[in-house]
Amino acid sequence: MNSAQPWWKSCVAYQIYPRSFCDTTGNGVGDLEGIRRHLDYLAWLGVDALWLSPFYKSPMADYGYDVADYCDVDPLFGTLDDFDKLLADAHRRNLRVIIDWVPNHTSDQHPWFIESRSSRDNPKRNWYWWRDPKGDGPPNNWIASFTFGPAWEFDESTQQYYLHTFLPQQPDLNWHNPEVVAAMHETLHFWLDRGVDGFRMDVIHLIGKDPELGDDPPDLAPLSHVPLNHRPETHELLRDIRLLLDSYDRDRMAVGEVYLLDTSLVATYYGHGDELHLNFNFPPLYTPWDAALWRQQIEKAEQELGPIDAWPTWVLSNHDNKRHRTRYGGSESRARAAAVLLLTLRGTPFLYAGEELGLEDCVVPPERVLDPGGRDGCRAPIPWDGSPSHGWASADPWLPWPPEPDKRNVADLTEDPESILHLYRRLIAARKASAALAVGSIELLDGPDVVLAYRRYAPGDNDRFVLINFSQAPTSAPVDLTGPAVVEIASDGEGEGAPFTGVLAPEQAVVLRRC
Ligand code: GLC
């Protein structure tokens, strides 16, 4: 099935935050070998592609998103050999591997920046954004993410400011300098030559900047500069990156983190099929659990992306935000309904490791807070079994365990066919077996406010109807199903394989197959 479609359209992607996946050395931090040892689990779950958050050499001011060497593995995570073994073993199981690429900024410990800051006439000075003070202060009003202070740090020894859109330890690279472009292209070649299947490109919309570095609108500036930077220069740079990827084969893929909070702007990063293959679209991630609001997001994605033939992506959780189960109020029935939504929408779903276990964020006591952006909760370690160390080499990982690790762990949920883990597995399998679900079209259906309903359809496959009851009361199905429809999947497992009764239980979601 779907052989005519590129893999990244029909795939289910699974994000791994390496620090939190599995530790095999006893230092409390997950590592590449820990990922390799669990590939059989991922293959069993049925996902097709892994996105690995950064494992590069890093002083870890932003837990790896501050890269000190783009072409090496931090000893915390292992070695390049470990990476090669992981990649080969993943490929043996038909799992593709996408790695995180962090092009907007390096670590302040990267040799490029150490040189750049060493003197005003260093040949790498112009690899970063250095500017004289404006009056007594920074060169413009841009605000940094995380600190919400100026995005400029004054360097005493050379008496200039450098730009950092994130932490001061993350200076922004100057992509308007062709030497930077060439050096960063080399880093892509390095990993493509090793065989990676693609990249998740970190805050990619930031690489092109206003050459004048003009002020942000004062009413918007406090948002931080990140969601405001939307520049034609970036699109030019992306077209060159796309040519580089395409010079390998059509199979290499880039998914961009485009942190612009408007789907119509995100759409432009697909170009005319000559920029990024996929882009993350953040407005749905920030949408509360509400049928009408979700309907609007789906409509918006179809309106903005459909006409330009751009393929959507869907994400409910990642390493930067509270897990969706926690955000949606904590009930497992809701987390199950959300799984049905995520895995039946038109577009590529990205799961975040642990959501298939129904994990909630961990509670982080004040003395254990680590992340400058307040994102520790969603980065809790994955519990693999019910033993005291939950399958980690140390019982005391870098962050606290998520709630209920004694029961809510991979080993226990694998044993329980009624668990949320098995629901994810059934959904992924159903999606793979159905062209309608994997790559088909979508039609939103009218109905009561509390039910989100849509049809997925493709030539040669039975139509699927997805009905999601957002309310806590039983609700009649909004659709007049002509012809019998069988329950293919139910979020609570009830009635699967039987004709649909026409009523949805509280917070129940179903996938129906029209016979
Ligand atoms: C992206 C990453 C986030 C990181 C930031 C700076 O938003 O997802 O984790 O802190 O970029 O690199």
Side-chain angles (χ1 to χ4, degrees), residues 62 65 105 146 166 170 200 202-203 257 319-320 375:
D62 188 14
Y65 284 93
H105 43 266
F146 306 141
F166 292 88
Q170 294 169 294
R200 177 267 187 185
D202 189 64
V203 284
E257 186 199 23
H319 65 294
D320 288 330
R375 300 163 294 180

Side-chain angles (χ1 to χ4, degrees), residues 360-375:
E360 296 176 82
D361 279 19
C362 66
V363 176
V364 187
E367 69 280 7
R368 290 195 69 176
V369 168
L370 296 174
D371 178 50
R375 300 163 294 180

Side-chain angles (χ1 to χ4, degrees), residues 49-116:
L50 311 179
W51 148 29
L52 309 183
S53 282
F55 47 76
Y56 308 109
K57 278 218 164 99
S58 165
M60 305 287 168
D62 188 14
Y63 293 98
Y65 284 93
D66 48 323
V67 178
D69 184 345
Y70 288 97
C71 300
D72 206 355
V73 174
D74 195 279
L76 257 188
F77 299 120
T79 62
L80 275 173
D81 279 351
D82 292 327
F83 179 81
D84 291 341
K85 266 170 76 183
L86 166 59
L87 185 64
D89 282 7
H91 283 169
R92 222 167 274 140
R93 290 165 177 79
N94 288 323
L95 289 164
R96 312 223 183 209
V97 177
I98 303 165
I99 64 172
D100 221 306
W101 185 60
V102 189
N104 176 64
H105 43 266
T106 67
S107 160
D108 63 346
Q109 301 306 306
H110 195 295
W112 299 341
F113 187 71
I114 292 175
E115 274 194 55
S116 181

